[in-house]
């Protein structure tokens, strides 16, 4: 589940920002059924950061509080725009997350993912599916179209056992994810943002993929009411997944 994403403090008091609020939100979300937490570490002034002085204390706080689930940290341009800077940051981490998210539409993704694997950190390879996802688009932006997925497929990952494909469909269109069953044998997680969040979560349930929800992705419940917390979103997601689960024996995304 995505605790805070790239949101700022101006987007609502429900979005946790400080380490203390993130720990409290993570514990409540896990109690509601979250199996892992994705957290964007921030400096005291609210800027996303990959600095070991920011990432390390937050990871230690989450673990010492007893969250008991894997912690995912994004290693992207939101925290460090320069590809060389991202590499330097992750290589300087003293406390390691369980997984790190690498957007394959960003420059240097392959080298960054390899550096994380070399450090023993599992990799979430993030790819948008369809147009209009993956952040702001400009003419010629390589996050558009299928380029990130092509880059992921061309990446000679040495250990698929520590790689997961995290796909962001632009809409809950089964055709967008139908081809994922022919990918390398890696786990697949689907998520959507804002209006696509709940339909994509249901699509993930139908095709047997992993799913993600949280205030970092969406701030409303399935019925349109504003969510008061990440835990409330997780509880709603658990109910949605149970009601929409793939039938036994159904083909799953990422299966071959």
């Amino acid at each position: 589940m995505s605790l805070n994403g790239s949101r700022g403090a101006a987007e609502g008091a429900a979005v946790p920002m400080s380490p203390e609020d993130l720990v409290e939100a993570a514990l409540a979300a896990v109690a509601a059924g979250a199996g892992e937490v994705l957290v964007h570490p921030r400096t005291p002034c609210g800027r996303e950061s990959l600095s070991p002085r920011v990432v390390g204390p937050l990871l230690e706080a989450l673990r010492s509080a007893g969250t008991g689930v894997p912690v995912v940290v994004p290693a992207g341009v939101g925290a460090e725009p320069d590809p060389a800077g991202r590499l330097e940051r992750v290589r300087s981490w003293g406390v390691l997350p369980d997984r790190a998210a690498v957007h394959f539409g960003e420059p240097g993704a392959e080298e960054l993912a390899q550096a994380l694997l070399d450090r023993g950190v599992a990799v979430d390879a993030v790819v948008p599916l369809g147009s209009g996802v993956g952040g702001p688009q400009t003419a010629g932006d390589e996050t558009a179209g299928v380029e990130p997925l092509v880059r992921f497929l061309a990446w000679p990952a040495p250990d698929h056992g520590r790689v997961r494909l995290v796909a962001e469909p632009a809409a809950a269109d089964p055709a967008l994810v139908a081809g994922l069953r022919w990918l390398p044998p890696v786990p697949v997680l689907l998520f959507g943002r804002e209006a696509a969040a709940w339909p994509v979560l249901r699509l993930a349930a139908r095709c047997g993929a992993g799913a993600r929800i949280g205030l970092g992705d969406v701030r409303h419940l399935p019925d349109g009411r504003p969510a008061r917390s990440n835990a409330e979103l997780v509880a709603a997601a658990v109910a949605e997944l149970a009601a929409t689960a793939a039938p036994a024996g159904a083909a799953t995304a990422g299966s071959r």
Side-chain angles (χ1 to χ4, degrees), residues 84-107:
R86 288 196 294 278
L87 274 173
E88 180 181 353
R89 287 300 197 189
V90 303
R91 286 171 174 161
S92 69
W93 285 346
V95 182
L96 300 175
D98 298 283
R99 312 188 69 90
V102 177
H103 198 303
F104 269 67
E106 295 176 354

Side-chain angles (χ1 to χ4, degrees), residues 22-31 34-35 37 58-71 98:
L22 287 166
V23 169
E24 181 180 353
L27 289 170
V30 171
V37 293
L58 177 57
L59 291 175
E60 290 177 331
L62 287 166
R63 288 166 177 157
S64 65
T67 49
V69 299
V71 180
D98 298 283

Side-chain angles (χ1 to χ4, degrees), residues 28-90:
V30 171
E36 66 181 34
V37 293
L38 168 66
V39 57
H40 289 233
R42 284 183 166 79
T43 65
C45 65
R47 181 184 178 276
E48 289 188 52
S49 176
L50 294 179
S51 166
R53 291 177 293 182
V54 176
V55 174
L58 177 57
L59 291 175
E60 290 177 331
L62 287 166
R63 288 166 177 157
S64 65
T67 49
V69 299
V71 180
V72 188
V73 170
V77 297
E80 174 53 66
D82 177 52
R86 288 196 294 278
L87 274 173
E88 180 181 353
R89 287 300 197 189
V90 303

